[in-house]
Amino acid sequence: MNEDGGMGGHGGEDTHGDATDPSAIAPDRDALLLDAMLGNLASYLRMCGYNAAYTLGRGIEDDAAVRSLAAAEGRRLITRDRSLAASTPGAVLLTERETTDQLRELREAGVALEIEAQPSRCGACNGPVERVDMDENENEERPEYAPDDGPIWRCLDCGQYFWTGSHWDDVAETLASL
């Protein structure tokens, strides 16, 4: 972290090997909790394969409840709230307001940000998704709002359908431009 509490690589203390080092964050091993100020960032992180819970999605805003949830579920907290970050072990403090700038801040700190080849988490609720084979399952009906061809995935928790269309491409382009 730098001297103003942020993650940017602009001097400050060396966190190499530290449990709070954001470069130690990867989707295959880290579950995340994003506070109320980071809802858009949660969607991007889910598209990168992170199990990224969002506090407002769970109806939680109180700092003590956020800390308790992070600890109970073994999640790394990502927040823009300096006092919440300071009082939560392993928390990652972001200083930027815009989602693209937050992504850049994470990438510059070494956090893995690569869009997956196919969805694994629901962008809406963070539930796991499964590929739905419309041809093999006669009980499955392609949602009328979905494209006519290509694979579709469904969230096992909320039932929402997903496909890798223009939004997926836009996110990939944003991540590539960081």
Side-chain angles (χ1 to χ4, degrees):
M1 296 216 181
N2 63 23
E3 55 274 343
D4 70 348
M7 290 184 7
H10 307 292
E13 64 186 89
D14 177 19
T15 58
H16 183 70
D18 185 333
T20 62
D21 180 3
S23 66
I25 298 174
D28 60 341
R29 69 173 180 258
D30 293 297
L32 306 175
L33 179 63
L34 287 86
D35 76 0
M37 295 182 265
L38 300 172
N40 289 335
L41 183 61
S43 295
Y44 277 82
L45 291 172
R46 291 168 183 164
M47 291 177 77
C48 290
Y50 284 97
N51 177 345
Y54 177 49
T55 58
L56 283 185
R58 299 208 181 165
I60 297 172
E61 291 185 62
D62 177 71
D63 285 1
V66 170
R67 279 190 301 278
S68 293
L69 179 62
E73 294 186 3
R75 293 181 179 275
R76 295 278 301 264
L77 176 66
I78 300 179
T79 182
R80 288 192 61 245
D81 182 320
R82 289 181 190 281
S83 64
L84 180 58
S87 64
T88 307
V92 176
L93 177 65
L94 298 179
T95 60
E96 300 293 338
R97 292 183 184 271
E98 297 297 321
T99 304
T100 302
D101 294 332
Q102 292 165 352
L103 288 164
R104 187 172 292 110
E105 194 172 9
L106 288 170
R107 163 110 358 117
E108 288 172 357
V111 174
L113 293 175
E114 303 296 327
I115 195 163
E116 293 189 304
Q118 60 185 23
S120 64
R121 309 295 305 182
C122 176
C125 78
N126 194 45
V129 299
E130 69 178 357
R131 186 172 174 164
V132 178
D133 191 339
M134 300 293 177
D135 296 332
E136 289 184 15
N137 188 348
E138 295 174 9
N139 297 327
E140 268 316 316
E141 188 173 316
R142 184 178 283 277
E144 59 184 66
Y145 55 84
D148 292 334
D149 59 346
I152 293 183
W153 292 264
R154 181 184 51 232
C155 177
L156 297 174
D157 289 349
C158 74
Q160 183 170 336
Y161 288 89
F162 296 89
W163 55 92
T164 56
S166 61
H167 178 62
W168 198 264
D169 295 340
D170 292 345
V171 169
E173 186 177 310
T174 297
L175 292 173
S177 73
L178 298 177

